[in-house]
Amino acid sequence: MKCPFIIRLPLQIILALLSIASVRGELSTVDWNAIQNPVYAHPEWSVKDACVAFNGDEYVVFFSAFFQDRGQIRSYISAVRTRDFRSFSEPFLLWTGEEDGWTGLCSPNISRIDGKFVLTFNTWGHNDNGHPNGRFNQLLYAVSEDLISWSDHRPLGENLTRGKRAIDAALYEDKGVYFLVWKAFQTPKIAYARDLDGEWTAMEDPDLGWFENAQILDIDGETCMLFTGRGHHPYLVQVTLFNPDGEPAFSASKKQPLVVPLQSFNTHERANAAFMWCEAGKDGLYRYLIYAGSTEGESYAGRGYNRLGLVRSLDGIHWSVPGGRADQERVP
C-alpha cells in the first residue's frame, strides 16, 4: 500500500500495521468534534516545530518556544501533556542549552527506537559568522523511557557536522541501521550508522528542493519522509533506505503536497514544521498532522505568533479540521 493513497483494510489488519508505526497512540480519549483549532497556544510564547508521542496514558507535545528573555528573543525546547487535545498541562520542561554554553535549543523531533523514545533537536543562535560563542548550531539527542524523565543531551552525527551549521535533525531505525536526516541551510543531508554515538557515513544528498523539518515514519508498511518545503508547506515522499543488496542507500519518489485547510489562525504561515503520526479509528487508518500557524510574520523576530493546529485524513489528500469544516482550501 502506497502511503499517499487510501487503504481499505479490516480494522484488525490496520491495528497490526500500527504496531510498526514510529509514533502511535489510541484516540479513545479524544473527541474530534469537541476540539478546536488552534489546539494549543501559549499567551506569551510563539510555539512551532511540534512533535507528538504517546506513552500509553497521555500524549506529550514537544515544541520550540520562542519568547523574550533577558533583552532578546530566544528559543528553548518545552513540552506539555494532554489526554484529549482540549486541556493541556503547564509546560513541564524548559531546555535552554545554557549549561553547555548555547544561547538556546530548537526543533525537537521524536522517534521510538529500540523500545525507547529518542528526542532529536539542535542548538540555536547561529548566524552567518557562526554562533556568538564561536560554534555553529549542532545536532543533539536525548533518550527517555516515559517521555517525562530524560537522559543528558548527547551530540549526534558529530563527525559529519562539527564546524558546520546543522539543524532540524530526525532519526529512524531499520534493520539495525540508524538513519539521520538534517539540513544545512536549505539543503537536505542524510547519513547512516550502526551506533548512535559512533561514526556516521554520509549518503548522497536527496534531490528534494527547498527543505527543512524532516521526519521519517512508517505509514501502512511503507517508509515515508515528511518535510517542510518552499513556502513552509508540508510535503510527503515515499523513500527507500536500502539498495537491492541490502546496503544503505537513499531514494525518494512520489512527492505529494499536503494541503492543510486555511482557518483564521493560519492565514500567514499555514502549516509550518508539520509532524505526522498514524492511529486507527472506526473509519480506518487516520493520519494526524500537527503544525504551526500564524497570522503575521513580524513579531518574535520575524517568526510571528505561532499556535499549533491539528488535522486528520484517511487518504493523505483530504484533511479535516476538528470541530467542523475549514474556512477554505487552497493548493499551495
Side-chain angles (χ1 to χ4, degrees):
M1 160 42 194
K2 306 303 183 183
C3 62
F5 305 103
I6 195 165
I7 183 169
R8 303 291 189 187
L9 291 176
L11 183 58
Q12 293 87 348
I13 298 178
I14 293 172
L15 289 170
L17 289 169
L18 276 171
S19 66
I20 62 172
S22 60
V23 178
R24 67 176 295 267
E26 306 295 343
L27 275 185
S28 57
T29 59
V30 177
D31 183 347
W32 187 247
N33 292 321
I35 59 178
Q36 296 283 341
N37 275 337
V39 291
Y40 181 75
H42 191 286
E44 297 178 353
W45 299 357
S46 177
V47 297
K48 62 186 294 287
D49 309 320
C51 59
V52 176
F54 187 73
N55 64 8
D57 184 51
E58 60 188 359
Y59 297 89
V60 180
V61 184
F62 299 87
F63 50 81
S64 303
F66 293 90
F67 58 91
Q68 189 81 15
D69 183 24
R70 286 165 291 165
Q72 69 180 79
I73 295 294
R74 299 174 188 262
S75 173
Y76 302 144
I77 289 177
S78 190
V80 292
R81 303 189 298 268
T82 182
R83 293 179 183 271
D84 54 15
F85 285 94
R86 296 178 64 187
S87 60
F88 292 82
S89 71
E90 291 296 318
F92 69 89
L93 62 81
L94 193 66
W95 292 350
T96 68
E98 290 185 359
E99 65 275 18
D100 296 315
W102 297 104
T103 302
L105 300 174
C106 194
S107 196
N109 192 287
I110 194 82
S111 302
R112 191 74 182 266
I113 296 177
D114 299 332
K116 297 181 180 180
F117 297 101
V118 181
L119 192 73
T120 59
F121 47 100
N122 58 263
T123 61
W124 185 86
H126 162 272
N127 57 41
D128 289 342
N129 297 316
H131 192 274
N133 62 13
R135 295 180 290 173
F136 286 87
N137 286 341
Q138 292 290 276
L139 309 181
L140 302 171
Y141 80 97
V143 179
S144 175
E145 295 185 355
D146 60 5
L147 297 172
I148 306 300
S149 301
W150 290 87
S151 70
D152 292 337
H153 304 165
R154 307 172 190 173
L156 182 62
E158 191 176 25
N159 68 294
L160 298 180
T161 63
R162 188 183 302 111
K164 303 175 183 178
R165 182 179 188 263
I167 66 172
D168 292 351
L171 275 173
Y172 181 84
E173 184 274 332
D174 190 12
K175 301 176 184 177
V177 179
Y178 300 102
F179 293 90
L180 171 64
V181 59
W182 73 97
K183 83 160 188 172
F185 296 95
Q186 302 310 138
T187 302
K189 299 289 184 179
I190 190 164
Y192 71 92
R194 299 185 185 277
D195 182 346
L196 285 179
D197 298 314
E199 294 288 300
W200 290 82
T201 300
M203 305 171 76
E204 184 176 352
D205 293 348
D207 183 15
L208 294 171
W210 200 96
F211 178 97
E212 60 188 26
N213 291 101
Q215 175 195 5
I216 303 177
L217 73 163
D218 288 329
I219 305 177
D220 304 341
E222 296 285 352
T223 306
C224 299
M225 179 185 287
L226 175 72
F227 67 94
T228 299
R230 187 171 297 277
H232 288 165
H233 295 292
Y235 291 84
L236 192 70
V237 294
Q238 286 182 253
V239 300
T240 58
L241 299 174
F242 297 92
N243 64 23
D245 295 327
E247 296 299 317
F250 181 90
S251 64
S253 61
K254 297 184 178 179
K255 181 178 177 180
Q256 176 195 357
L258 306 185
V259 184
V260 171
L262 184 68
Q263 298 184 274
S264 60
F265 83 100
N266 65 344
T267 55
H268 178 74
E269 290 285 4
R270 185 165 175 171
N272 195 3
F275 179 89
M276 183 185 292
W277 74 96
C278 300
E279 297 183 1
K282 64 180 181 180
D283 302 321
L285 182 67
Y286 279 105
R287 305 127 193 263
Y288 286 82
L289 201 70
I290 193 168
Y291 54 93
S294 68
T295 59
E296 47 81 22
E298 301 297 326
S299 63
Y300 295 91
R303 292 170 178 83
Y305 177 54
N306 284 279
R307 295 170 285 178
L308 300 181
L310 188 65
V311 292
R312 71 179 186 180
S313 174
L314 285 169
D315 60 8
I317 299 172
H318 304 94
W319 296 88
S320 65
V321 300
R325 295 179 60 85
D327 297 335
Q328 55 181 304
E329 295 187 17
R330 293 192 304 230
V331 174

